[in-house]
Amino acid sequence: MSRIAYVNGRYVPFHSAKVHIEDRGYQFADAVYEVCEVRAGRLVDARRHLDRLDRSLGALHMPMPMSRAALGVVLHEVVRRNRVDHGTVYLQISRGVARRDLAFPTAAAPSVVVTARALNRDRIAALAATGISAVSVPDNRWGRVDIKTVGLLPNVLARQAAIDRGAREAWFVDHGGAVTEAASANAWIVTEQGRLVTRRADHAILGGITRAVVFEVAKAQKLDVDERPFTLEEAYAAREAFITSASQIVVPVVRIDGRTVGDGKPGPLAVALRREFHRFAEEE
Ligand code: PDD
C-alpha cells in the first residue's frame, strides 16, 4: 500500500511529500508538533493533544492554521488513507516559508504536515513485558521544554548516547541532580513506600498527555501520587521505575545506568497502569 501524507491542504504520496528549503521549521525549528496514539483506527486522547497544540502555538505566537474540527478531520483522514490500525499520527505546524530572518515574517502561511504510521504492537508489548534500560544524561535543553517544539537536538543526542551505552532510553538530570524526564517520554518512580512520583509539569518537562491519563488511572486505583522532583539516587533505589508516552503508553525501566531497579523485572504498579490505561483514555 502506498503511504499518503497531508501537506498544506493536499493529500500527497508520502515519497514525494515536501516543504520548501526556507521553511522556518527546517531552518530554525520554528515549529510545533503532536504525536497521538492510534488504536483500532481511532485517535486516542485527540482532544487533549489538540489542547496542548493550542498551548504550544500560543506560546510561539502562532495562530491555529485551521479550525480544530478541520484539523480533526485531516488527522482522521490521514489515518484512514494509510489504513493505520495501531500506530501514531504525527502533526507538525511551522511558521511557514519566508526569507531567512530570525524575526517573524509579516506574511507567511503556516506549513501543516500530517503523517501516520503503524507500530508493531507486539514489539512494544514485548518491551513492556521485559522492561527497558535507561542511562542518565545531563539535561542541557532550553528553559521551555513544556512547549512541544521540533527543536529536539538534545533529545536526539541523549537517545543516541543511550543506544551507544547499550540502553534504550535516556533520563535527563538537571543541575540539582533531579530527573526531569526521558528523551521522548515522562519519567516516574515508585518509592519503597509504594508512592508514585513524577515531576510537576512546569517549564522543565513536557506535560505528557499519557502522564495526565496515568494520574487518572492511579487515582481510580487509589494509588498515592507525588508531583515533585526526584533525584537520580532515588531512582536507583526505587521499587519501580517507568516511562509514559503516547506511542508506548507505560513501559517499565528495570535498569538505570547499569544498576538494577527493584528486582530487575517490571513492577506491579507499572504493569497495572499499563493494563488499565485505555479504560481511561478517550477514543474518538
Ligand atoms: N514524545 N516528554 C518528551 C520529551 C516527549 O517527547 C514526550 C512525547 C513526552 C510524553 O508526552 P505524551 O504522553 O503526550 O506522548 C514527554 C512523543 C511521543 C514523540 O516525540 O514521539
Side-chain angles (χ1 to χ4, degrees), residues 33 35 52 148 155 181-186 206 208-210 244-246:
Y33 77 106
V35 178
R52 184 171 64 190
K148 200 163 169 61
N155 310 58
E181 60 181 333
S184 69
N186 289 120
L206 180 75
I209 306 305
T210 318
T244 56
S245 77

Side-chain angles (χ1 to χ4, degrees), residues 173-211:
V173 178
D174 69 15
H175 291 305
V179 173
T180 50
E181 60 181 333
S184 69
N186 289 120
W188 300 66
I189 58 168
V190 180
T191 65
E192 258 319 305
Q193 294 71 38
R195 299 182 77 86
L196 286 161
V197 185
T198 194
R199 196 174 175 114
R200 193 163 61 83
D202 52 17
H203 290 171
I205 68 164
L206 180 75
I209 306 305
T210 318
R211 174 186 180 279

Side-chain angles (χ1 to χ4, degrees), residues 26 45 68 71 107 112 133 142 144 167 177 183 198 218 243 262-263 276:
Y26 178 63
D45 281 317
R68 252 177 108 107
L71 207 47
V112 182
S133 297
W142 77 316
R144 288 304 307 274
T198 194
I243 53 171
D263 62 2
E276 297 301 310

